[in-house]
Amino acid sequence: MKEQIGVVPLGEVPTLAVEVIAANITAYYKLPADVLPMRPIPESTFDEARLKYNAGLLINKLDALDFEGYSKIVGVISRDMFIPIFNYVYGQAVQGGSLALISLFRLNRNADGSTPSTSLVFERAAKLALHELGHLFNLFHCNETKCIMHFSGVIEDLNKIPFYLCRDCARRLPR
Ligand SMILES: [Zn+2]
Ligand SMILES: [Zn+2]
């Protein structure tokens, strides 16, 4: 199947954010990427104890939807997400699979509590999407700090990572 990437807003997500993500996917991976119609957030994935959305359950819900013609899907959500072993996650992906998710929630604040410019928020969102998509292409976390596949645990890490896939990771990409 020819690679065709779909970027899906889950619930209310700024239109420009998903457009910037799709444009960056095309620019960096040289693949066609479309913004797909918004899908409602499955409320059953909300965890009443953590007051966040369960990223793993969200991925399962995405899996149950039909995205005909798209080989890989990147879901974008404005709400906070977690996985059982982490209090929060910026993104989540099925390694080597077809579904990834990113959350804009924690991109809207700087480490010092100040509010970033909209362009910086979009830049962070695009980096996250490229990172999670890398997992879908079966790339693993990279030790190279100047590589999009380097793990970002906090927002400063994400700021420091450039829009760049190191030579080793680029070589591992399926052609
Ligand atoms: Zn990762
Ligand atoms: Zn790398």
Side-chain angles (χ1 to χ4, degrees):
M1 185 183 188
K2 205 169 171 293
E3 292 284 9
Q4 179 85 29
I5 317 296
V7 181
V8 186
L10 295 173
E12 289 303 322
V13 175
T15 306
L16 202 50
V18 280
E19 284 172 352
V20 166
I21 288 167
N24 275 277
I25 290 170
T26 299
Y28 288 92
Y29 288 113
K30 312 279 180 244
L31 293 171
D34 295 333
V35 173
L36 302 182
M38 187 259 263
R39 305 286 184 126
I41 303 172
E43 285 305 321
S44 62
T45 62
F46 186 74
D47 189 293
E48 297 288 349
R50 303 226 200 191
L51 301 176
K52 291 174 193 149
Y53 288 82
N54 184 314
L57 292 181
L58 275 170
I59 293 244
N60 291 345
K61 291 285 179 186
L62 272 183
D63 200 23
L65 300 175
D66 186 19
F67 296 107
E68 212 194 325
Y70 291 89
S71 54
K72 298 200 185 321
I73 292 292
V74 179
V76 184
I77 190 167
S78 296
R79 310 294 182 79
D80 207 8
M81 307 191 296
F82 75 97
I83 57 172
I85 56 162
F86 284 119
N87 188 31
Y88 66 85
V89 284
Y90 293 121
Q92 179 78 353
V94 179
Q95 185 70 32
S98 58
L99 297 167
L101 257 180
I102 68 159
S103 164
L104 305 181
F105 186 84
R106 288 173 187 271
L107 311 184
N108 290 307
R109 211 180 318 155
N110 293 324
D112 64 4
S114 61
T115 304
S117 66
T118 308
S119 64
L120 180 56
V121 174
F122 289 172
E123 186 184 309
R124 289 167 176 170
K127 285 178 187 176
L128 273 186
L130 297 182
H131 177 98
E132 297 306 334
L133 202 48
H135 284 308
L136 299 186
F137 293 129
N138 211 20
L139 298 180
F140 290 89
H141 285 160
C142 179
N143 288 330
E144 172 57 65
T145 51
K146 298 221 172 326
C147 173
I148 204 82
M149 290 314 292
H150 191 71
F151 174 73
S152 298
V154 290
I155 206 77
E156 296 97 317
D157 295 345
L158 194 57
N159 289 341
K160 277 184 227 149
I161 289 173
F163 281 91
Y164 176 72
L165 202 56
C166 80
R167 207 182 265 254
D168 281 348
C169 288
R171 214 160 22 88
R172 289 190 182 95
L173 275 182
R175 276 287 152 237

